[in-house]
Amino acid sequence: MSSCFVPNGASLEDCHSNLFCLADLTGIKWKRFVWQGPSSAPILFPVTEEDPILCSFSRCLNSDVLSVWRRHQTPGRRELWLFWWGDDPNFAELIHHDLIDSYVRA
């Protein structure tokens, strides 16, 4: 039995999204883009083609940019996180104009 045995047979060593295998952790950079959502109640989300988060996420996937989106605890607010290594890329063509650049780590 190996030291990385887990009951369900899954192991992070076999995962393609394992950041530990992809790069040196000290070299990982990221940005968080936030969509505040509509200010009116009730909260109505745009259709997928018009959704700033999903539209930007799709563009990132098509451009091979490691990204993830998630819902925030605040109703209607969602975030898009982008990850890269090395020089800061230009995300201007990938990110929807309604998203706010909220955080960057050097």
Side-chain angles (χ1 to χ4, degrees):
M1 187 180 312
S2 69
S3 61
C4 65
F5 174 77
V6 288
N8 67 359
S11 171
L12 281 179
E13 285 101 11
D14 298 330
C15 182
H16 293 288
S17 62
N18 183 357
L19 293 177
F20 296 106
C21 292
L22 293 176
D24 174 24
L25 286 180
T26 58
I28 296 174
K29 297 179 185 179
W30 65 84
K31 268 190 180 188
R32 180 179 66 168
F33 292 90
V34 177
W35 184 60
Q36 298 294 339
S39 57
S40 63
I43 297 170
L44 299 173
F45 292 102
V47 294
T48 305
E49 295 84 20
E50 298 171 1
D51 186 307
I53 291 288
L54 296 180
C55 180
S56 299
F57 178 68
S58 177
R59 290 178 193 161
C60 289
L61 290 180
N62 288 335
S63 297
D64 293 328
V65 174
L66 184 60
S67 58
V68 64
W69 73 272
R70 71 179 194 117
R71 288 183 177 91
H72 195 268
Q73 293 106 351
T74 308
R77 183 175 169 187
R78 289 182 280 169
E79 304 172 340
L80 176 69
W81 290 74
L82 308 179
F83 301 91
W84 72 93
W85 298 266
D87 297 332
D88 293 357
N90 181 3
F91 295 121
E93 294 182 8
L94 301 177
I95 303 304
H96 193 278
H97 64 322
D98 286 343
L99 300 184
I100 300 166
D101 185 355
S102 157
Y103 182 75
V104 66
R105 176 181 179 253

